[in-house]
Amino acid sequence: MGGPSDPPDGTPEGAPGGGDDEYRSVVFDESFVRAAHLQEFSAQERIADHAPAVRRRPPLRRGGLSRQALILVVLIAVAFGTAVYMGVRHPYQSPAARQAAEQVRMTVVPLAPRGEVPGAADAERLYARSPAAQFRSGAAGVTLPPYRSTAHFADEQVRNALLTAKEYVVRSSLDREVLVGGETRSVRVLLDPDQTGQFDESFAEPAADGRHAATGWLVRFDPARVELAGSEIRVQGSLRALESDSSTLEVVAAHTVVYPLRPTGDARAEVSLFTVRRELHFRFDRDDLRLHQARLTLASLQAGPLSCAEDAAGYLRPLLAGQSAKQGGPAGTDPYATGEATALCGTLAESAQPKV
């Protein structure tokens, strides 16, 4: 017996089994019919309005955004909120604007001898009879002190500051090319770029104005008058580091350096000793530490035997063995002492000279 959907007389012979199968692909479900854009008017509507048989239906409006759009909006909101939160709450705040380095303040004090400058055939004899007898030779005399971290700087940063200050002291007072009035680039590259302009001006036009003395930046002798006698330069001093604020380390380098000198081109002339007492103050911010540079803020130099009449801003022109300066001037100043320079010209204490 056929089902309700079978033809009254049964399935025609030769037709595919199940009449519904032939039309199954074109049967529309209820959702398709509701979504159709065309809808047939009723008979009453066609008579009353003389309207077409069908009318266009407005498209169905979905309730709210699609799921994908909603997820995208939520993700954008979360990302924006996270960015705002990190900008306000992140522990590593953006660094403040970097302050320009101030100009170096410098003092160069010539120390005039009371009598003739003592001399000897070789430097060793003079060293043995002077306060420099126990000084170390060359860079070995510029030693690093024990160091440790501060409240805002790690021990490695403190070490870097001390090493940079040491390198500046070595290059500016022990490099033979620098000492004889030659190249200065090895010293210049250690300075913060904000100070290189002042540095260049000091060598282009040296002046005893407290800002532009070439001998405030480094030690250099007039090569037309003196030369180094031998290879040994004696050094003794100290380096000290401290934190001045949360963004700045300071290093003070105080050293006494003793040079054996003689007249240029006269290998048989007696040798004399020339003593320089330098105190250099450096500042380092984090950029300086990273770039291996320093900001020199204060340079004080006492040196003798020198004549107070000589201009010491451009070159140091020492008095050599057997030479003397005019008497007079303030009380004797000892460059081996650790006090700060207080005069524009002083008298070299007799205790600072070798006993020959």
Side-chain angles (χ1 to χ4, degrees), residues 335-350:
Y336 290 93
T338 59
E340 295 184 359
T342 57
L344 295 179
C345 184
T347 301
L348 184 64
E350 293 183 2

PDB file of all heavy atoms in Angstrom, residues 335-350:
ATOM      1  N   PRO A 335     103.063  70.902  45.061  1.00  0.00           N
ATOM      2  CA  PRO A 335     102.145  70.158  44.199  1.00  0.00           C
ATOM      3  C   PRO A 335     101.929  68.722  44.652  1.00  0.00           C
ATOM      4  O   PRO A 335     101.027  68.049  44.161  1.00  0.00           O
ATOM      5  CB  PRO A 335     102.837  70.196  42.827  1.00  0.00           C
ATOM      6  CG  PRO A 335     104.279  70.359  43.143  1.00  0.00           C
ATOM      7  CD  PRO A 335     104.333  71.207  44.383  1.00  0.00           C
ATOM      8  N   TYR A 336     102.758  68.257  45.623  1.00  0.00           N
ATOM      9  CA  TYR A 336     102.538  66.915  46.144  1.00  0.00           C
ATOM     10  C   TYR A 336     101.451  66.895  47.211  1.00  0.00           C
ATOM     11  O   TYR A 336     100.967  65.840  47.591  1.00  0.00           O
ATOM     12  CB  TYR A 336     103.848  66.363  46.746  1.00  0.00           C
ATOM     13  CG  TYR A 336     104.879  66.051  45.696  1.00  0.00           C
ATOM     14  CD1 TYR A 336     105.833  66.984  45.332  1.00  0.00           C
ATOM     15  CD2 TYR A 336     104.893  64.821  45.059  1.00  0.00           C
ATOM     16  CE1 TYR A 336     106.790  66.708  44.367  1.00  0.00           C
ATOM     17  CE2 TYR A 336     105.835  64.525  44.093  1.00  0.00           C
ATOM     18  CZ  TYR A 336     106.774  65.469  43.750  1.00  0.00           C
ATOM     19  OH  TYR A 336     107.694  65.182  42.786  1.00  0.00           O
ATOM     20  N   ALA A 337     101.098  68.071  47.709  1.00  0.00           N
ATOM     21  CA  ALA A 337     100.004  68.153  48.682  1.00  0.00           C
ATOM     22  C   ALA A 337      98.684  68.003  47.946  1.00  0.00           C
ATOM     23  O   ALA A 337      98.593  68.204  46.737  1.00  0.00           O
ATOM     24  CB  ALA A 337     100.064  69.480  49.427  1.00  0.00           C
ATOM     25  N   THR A 338      97.629  67.665  48.696  1.00  0.00           N
ATOM     26  CA  THR A 338      96.340  67.371  48.072  1.00  0.00           C
ATOM     27  C   THR A 338      95.371  68.536  48.118  1.00  0.00           C
ATOM     28  O   THR A 338      94.233  68.411  47.707  1.00  0.00           O
ATOM     29  CB  THR A 338      95.687  66.157  48.762  1.00  0.00           C
ATOM     30  OG1 THR A 338      95.518  66.462  50.159  1.00  0.00           O
ATOM     31  CG2 THR A 338      96.551  64.922  48.605  1.00  0.00           C
ATOM     32  N   GLY A 339      95.815  69.701  48.617  1.00  0.00           N
ATOM     33  CA  GLY A 339      94.926  70.848  48.670  1.00  0.00           C
ATOM     34  C   GLY A 339      94.630  71.403  47.290  1.00  0.00           C
ATOM     35  O   GLY A 339      95.363  71.181  46.328  1.00  0.00           O
ATOM     36  N   GLU A 340      93.506  72.150  47.173  1.00  0.00           N
ATOM     37  CA  GLU A 340      93.129  72.739  45.905  1.00  0.00           C
ATOM     38  C   GLU A 340      93.961  73.986  45.618  1.00  0.00           C
ATOM     39  O   GLU A 340      94.402  74.695  46.513  1.00  0.00           O
ATOM     40  CB  GLU A 340      91.643  73.106  45.918  1.00  0.00           C
ATOM     41  CG  GLU A 340      90.726  71.899  46.031  1.00  0.00           C
ATOM     42  CD  GLU A 340      89.276  72.301  45.930  1.00  0.00           C
ATOM     43  OE1 GLU A 340      89.009  73.512  45.799  1.00  0.00           O
ATOM     44  OE2 GLU A 340      88.415  71.421  45.985  1.00  0.00           O
ATOM     45  N   ALA A 341      94.144  74.269  44.329  1.00  0.00           N
ATOM     46  CA  ALA A 341      94.871  75.463  43.921  1.00  0.00           C
ATOM     47  C   ALA A 341      94.045  76.701  44.222  1.00  0.00           C
ATOM     48  O   ALA A 341      92.846  76.734  43.995  1.00  0.00           O
ATOM     49  CB  ALA A 341      95.186  75.382  42.427  1.00  0.00           C
ATOM     50  N   THR A 342      94.706  77.736  44.767  1.00  0.00           N
ATOM     51  CA  THR A 342      93.975  78.944  45.144  1.00  0.00           C
ATOM     52  C   THR A 342      94.584  80.201  44.540  1.00  0.00           C
ATOM     53  O   THR A 342      94.058  81.288  44.747  1.00  0.00           O
ATOM     54  CB  THR A 342      93.956  79.097  46.672  1.00  0.00           C
ATOM     55  OG1 THR A 342      95.297  79.115  47.154  1.00  0.00           O
ATOM     56  CG2 THR A 342      93.206  77.944  47.328  1.00  0.00           C
ATOM     57  N   ALA A 343      95.693  80.088  43.798  1.00  0.00           N
ATOM     58  CA  ALA A 343      96.375  81.265  43.269  1.00  0.00           C
ATOM     59  C   ALA A 343      96.579  81.110  41.779  1.00  0.00           C
ATOM     60  O   ALA A 343      96.600  80.005  41.237  1.00  0.00           O
ATOM     61  CB  ALA A 343      97.719  81.452  43.966  1.00  0.00           C
ATOM     62  N   LEU A 344      96.734  82.240  41.084  1.00  0.00           N
ATOM     63  CA  LEU A 344      97.004  82.221  39.655  1.00  0.00           C
ATOM     64  C   LEU A 344      98.470  81.942  39.371  1.00  0.00           C
ATOM     65  O   LEU A 344      98.829  81.509  38.296  1.00  0.00           O
ATOM     66  CB  LEU A 344      96.584  83.543  39.027  1.00  0.00           C
ATOM     67  CG  LEU A 344      95.077  83.845  39.078  1.00  0.00           C
ATOM     68  CD1 LEU A 344      94.801  85.201  38.436  1.00  0.00           C
ATOM     69  CD2 LEU A 344      94.285  82.748  38.389  1.00  0.00           C
ATOM     70  N   CYS A 345      99.329  82.223  40.338  1.00  0.00           N
ATOM     71  CA  CYS A 345     100.735  81.874  40.229  1.00  0.00           C
ATOM     72  C   CYS A 345     101.273  81.670  41.638  1.00  0.00           C
ATOM     73  O   CYS A 345     100.942  82.424  42.546  1.00  0.00           O
ATOM     74  CB  CYS A 345     101.530  82.978  39.526  1.00  0.00           C
ATOM     75  SG  CYS A 345     103.256  82.530  39.256  1.00  0.00           S
ATOM     76  N   GLY A 346     102.057  80.626  41.804  1.00  0.00           N
ATOM     77  CA  GLY A 346     102.583  80.325  43.129  1.00  0.00           C
ATOM     78  C   GLY A 346     104.078  80.111  43.076  1.00  0.00           C
ATOM     79  O   GLY A 346     104.714  80.216  42.028  1.00  0.00           O
ATOM     80  N   THR A 347     104.636  79.819  44.241  1.00  0.00           N
ATOM     81  CA  THR A 347     106.055  79.532  44.357  1.00  0.00           C
ATOM     82  C   THR A 347     106.229  78.055  44.652  1.00  0.00           C
ATOM     83  O   THR A 347     105.561  77.508  45.537  1.00  0.00           O
ATOM     84  CB  THR A 347     106.687  80.364  45.492  1.00  0.00           C
ATOM     85  OG1 THR A 347     106.485  81.750  45.214  1.00  0.00           O
ATOM     86  CG2 THR A 347     108.174  80.078  45.601  1.00  0.00           C
ATOM     87  N   LEU A 348     107.093  77.430  43.929  1.00  0.00           N
ATOM     88  CA  LEU A 348     107.335  76.005  44.098  1.00  0.00           C
ATOM     89  C   LEU A 348     108.099  75.764  45.389  1.00  0.00           C
ATOM     90  O   LEU A 348     109.200  76.300  45.587  1.00  0.00           O
ATOM     91  CB  LEU A 348     108.120  75.462  42.908  1.00  0.00           C
ATOM     92  CG  LEU A 348     108.378  73.957  42.861  1.00  0.00           C
ATOM     93  CD1 LEU A 348     107.070  73.199  42.734  1.00  0.00           C
ATOM     94  CD2 LEU A 348     109.306  73.618  41.709  1.00  0.00           C
ATOM     95  N   ALA A 349     107.522  74.971  46.268  1.00  0.00           N
ATOM     96  CA  ALA A 349     108.168  74.702  47.544  1.00  0.00           C
ATOM     97  C   ALA A 349     109.478  73.953  47.334  1.00  0.00           C
ATOM     98  O   ALA A 349     109.574  73.099  46.440  1.00  0.00           O
ATOM     99  CB  ALA A 349     107.236  73.887  48.436  1.00  0.00           C
ATOM    100  N   GLU A 350     110.460  74.261  48.148  1.00  0.00           N
ATOM    101  CA  GLU A 350     111.771  73.584  48.009  1.00  0.00           C
ATOM    102  C   GLU A 350     111.649  72.098  48.270  1.00  0.00           C
ATOM    103  O   GLU A 350     112.414  71.301  47.715  1.00  0.00           O
ATOM    104  CB  GLU A 350     112.774  74.224  48.981  1.00  0.00           C
ATOM    105  CG  GLU A 350     113.121  75.673  48.631  1.00  0.00           C
ATOM    106  CD  GLU A 350     114.169  76.250  49.551  1.00  0.00           C
ATOM    107  OE1 GLU A 350     114.643  75.502  50.438  1.00  0.00           O
ATOM    108  OE2 GLU A 350     114.500  77.433  49.401  1.00  0.00           O
TER     109      GLU A 350
END
